[in-house]
Amino acid sequence: GGGGGGGGVERPGLAVLRHVRHRTLGPLLVMRFVHGFTFTMMVETAFGFYNRELLRVDARTSMYLLCYVGLMYSLVQARMSAFTKRFSDLALARFGLYATAAALVLWCFTRTLPMALLSYGAYAVAAGILNTCLYSLISSAVARDSIGSALGLSASVGSLTRVTAPTISGVAIDALGSATVIPIMGAALMFAIAPLLSRARAVKAFDVGGKKRDDDDADGRRTQHL
């Protein structure tokens, strides 16, 4: 409902600022950025360089490996309902974050094709779980009438990673002369944001405005991000 006049309408810029500064949503958006940044850096930027330099495979094999990563990433997101029936979004996000970091550590030591199938597959599954849970946590952290703006802001954060990640990873590879630095950077970033999960514990209890809210439709929102 409205309240007489236009005083109840919040300016878009203020809404964005409120979301970013919120004690729960803010850390989730930071995690969304770091996760997206790492994924873009690993899969969309340095993937071919790493495969050529350290696996010594040709472009066709690298393409097949990229398809394999994409397939695993998509399949785990399509099967998320099987996990969410047994575990909370927060528990799954925590698992996804640490599993992503561990897979990136394993990626650092990948030098053979069988090892690549293991480390790349593990990373794709873990990153898919984390990505889906972050979207669900973000949508659950706000009131229903703020979901659109929160998810829009999350999408903007994702777009920003596609601008920054290629530039920074390119500079890192050029400066150090090896693509090995990329999974090291990725693992370090994922471990660095782990403490932010502790600030998302109340994510399903309060909206951005601090009001108690119902959670009966929170699980349904998860499917729209698969």
Side-chain angles (χ1 to χ4, degrees):
V9 179
E10 184 177 31
R11 292 166 58 183
L14 293 178
V16 170
L17 182 61
R18 177 164 55 87
H19 289 343
V20 171
R21 295 178 61 184
H22 186 257
R23 63 184 176 83
T24 296
L25 188 57
L28 288 172
L29 290 172
V30 172
M31 292 179 65
R32 171 82 178 93
F33 174 80
V34 173
H35 172 54
F37 179 90
T38 303
F39 187 87
T40 302
M41 191 170 58
M42 294 300 306
V43 178
E44 300 179 18
T45 304
F47 194 79
F49 291 107
Y50 193 95
N51 291 338
R52 183 180 62 187
E53 176 189 342
L54 298 168
L55 295 185
R56 302 196 181 283
V57 297
D58 57 20
R60 175 176 293 184
T61 303
S62 187
M63 178 193 69
Y64 289 146
L65 287 171
L66 183 60
C67 290
Y68 166 70
V69 170
L71 180 62
M72 297 295 288
Y73 186 80
S74 299
L75 284 176
V76 73
Q77 291 189 99
R79 296 294 300 165
M80 279 299 294
S81 60
F83 302 123
T84 55
K85 289 177 181 177
R86 300 180 58 186
F87 306 100
S88 68
D89 287 335
L90 191 57
L92 288 170
R94 183 177 291 109
F95 167 80
L97 191 152
Y98 285 111
T100 298
L104 288 171
V105 171
L106 184 62
W107 195 322
C108 297
F109 300 98
T110 296
R111 299 292 185 273
T112 65
L113 200 54
M115 194 70 174
L117 292 175
L118 175 62
S119 60
Y120 293 5
Y123 175 73
V125 169
I129 291 173
L130 179 58
N131 187 65
T132 304
C133 290
L134 284 178
Y135 268 118
S136 182
L137 289 170
I138 287 169
S139 64
S140 299
V142 298
R144 294 181 187 180
D145 59 357
S146 298
I147 291 174
S149 60
L151 293 180
L153 184 57
S154 176
S156 297
V157 167
S159 298
L160 183 60
T161 66
R162 286 169 171 79
V163 176
T164 55
T167 303
I168 294 176
S169 57
V171 169
I173 292 173
D174 186 59
L176 299 176
S178 174
T180 311
V181 67
I182 302 303
I184 295 174
M185 288 172 58
L189 285 171
M190 297 309 294
F191 281 122
I193 63 171
L196 293 178
L197 270 179
S198 63
R199 298 179 61 181
R201 285 177 181 160
V203 71
K204 289 196 174 183
F206 296 92
D207 65 21
V208 167
K211 298 177 294 183
K212 196 77 174 175
R213 45 159 287 203
D214 293 330
D215 190 42
D216 54 358
D217 66 335
D219 291 336
R221 294 191 205 119
R222 185 183 302 106
T223 59
Q224 72 188 63
H225 311 301
L226 303 184

